[in-house]
C-alpha cells in the first residue's frame, strides 16, 4: 500500500469513507435526513479540507466548528456518533493507505472529533 500523496488519493479516501458512513444505519441518517448532503458536492469540499490539513495546500474557507454546531442544533452529535465516524474513517484509511500521511490524517481526525465534542458540550451548557 502507498501513502496519501495528493488530492486524488484524498478524493478516493473520502469517497470510500462516505460509502461506509452511508451504509451504517447508526449514523447515515445524519447525512441523509438531518443535513441531506449532496454527496457529489460534499466530497470535493472534504478533499479541499483534508488537502489543506494534510498536504498544506490551503483553500478551505468554511468554519468547520460552526458547521458541526449547526448540525448539532438540529440533532445531537453524541460521543457515540463521533466514535462511529472515527471508526469508519480509520478503516477507510487502513484499507487503502499506509505511511506518514495516513497516520497524520488519523491523528488529525481524532483531534477534530475531540474538539467538536468539547465545542458541542460548551454549546449545550449555555
Amino acid at each position: 500500500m502507498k501513502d496519501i500523496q495528493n488530492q486524488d488519493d484524498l478524493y478516493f479516501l473520502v469517497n470510500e469513507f462516505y460509502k461506509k458512513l452511508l451504509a451504517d444505519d447508526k449514523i447515515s441518517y445524519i447525512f441523509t435526513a438531518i443535513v441531506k448532503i449532496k454527496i457529489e458536492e460534499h466530497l470535493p469540499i472534504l478533499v479541499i479540507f483534508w488537502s489543506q490539513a494534510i498536504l498544506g495546500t490551503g483553500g478551505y474557507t468554511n468554519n468547520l466548528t460552526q458547521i458541526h454546531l449547526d448540525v448539532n442544533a438540529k440533532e445531537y452529535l453524541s460521543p457515540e456518533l463521533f466514535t462511529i465516524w472515527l471508526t469508519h474513517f480509520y478503516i477507510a484509511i487502513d484499507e487503502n493507505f499506509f505511511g506518514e500521511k495516513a497516520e497524520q490524517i488519523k491523528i488529525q481526525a481524532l483531534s477534530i472529533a475531540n474538539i467538536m465534542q468539547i465545542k458541542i458540550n460548551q454549546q449545550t451548557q449555555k
Side-chain angles (χ1 to χ4, degrees), residues 18-85:
Y18 267 81
K19 286 179 190 174
K20 293 176 185 317
L21 280 181
L22 295 174
D24 186 334
D25 292 339
K26 296 182 299 282
I27 196 168
S28 62
Y29 72 96
I30 296 289
F31 304 96
T32 59
I34 306 301
V35 180
K36 299 178 184 173
I37 64 165
K38 294 180 175 125
I39 197 73
E40 64 281 353
E41 294 172 10
H42 191 61
L43 291 184
I45 294 167
L46 292 175
V47 169
I48 292 168
F49 171 80
W50 285 115
S51 182
Q52 177 171 300
I54 302 305
L55 304 175
T57 56
Y60 185 80
T61 58
N62 295 338
N63 184 333
L64 184 66
T65 302
Q66 192 59 54
I67 291 167
H68 287 84
L69 291 176
D70 291 348
V71 174
N72 185 68
K74 297 176 185 176
E75 179 74 17
Y76 176 57
L77 298 178
S78 68
E80 294 77 20
L81 288 172
F82 281 99
T83 298
I84 294 166
W85 182 88

Side-chain angles (χ1 to χ4, degrees), residues 73-124:
K74 297 176 185 176
E75 179 74 17
Y76 176 57
L77 298 178
S78 68
E80 294 77 20
L81 288 172
F82 281 99
T83 298
I84 294 166
W85 182 88
L86 279 171
T87 299
H88 287 308
F89 196 64
Y90 288 176
I91 290 169
I93 295 163
D94 291 341
E95 286 177 345
N96 298 288
F97 298 99
F98 178 82
E100 183 181 330
K101 296 291 184 194
E103 291 306 309
Q104 183 182 351
I105 202 169
K106 287 193 278 188
I107 292 167
Q108 186 77 25
L110 176 59
S111 176
I112 290 167
N114 287 332
I115 290 167
M116 290 303 146
Q117 289 176 81
I118 290 167
K119 296 292 186 181
I120 286 167
N121 287 335
Q122 289 172 343
Q123 181 186 51
T124 320

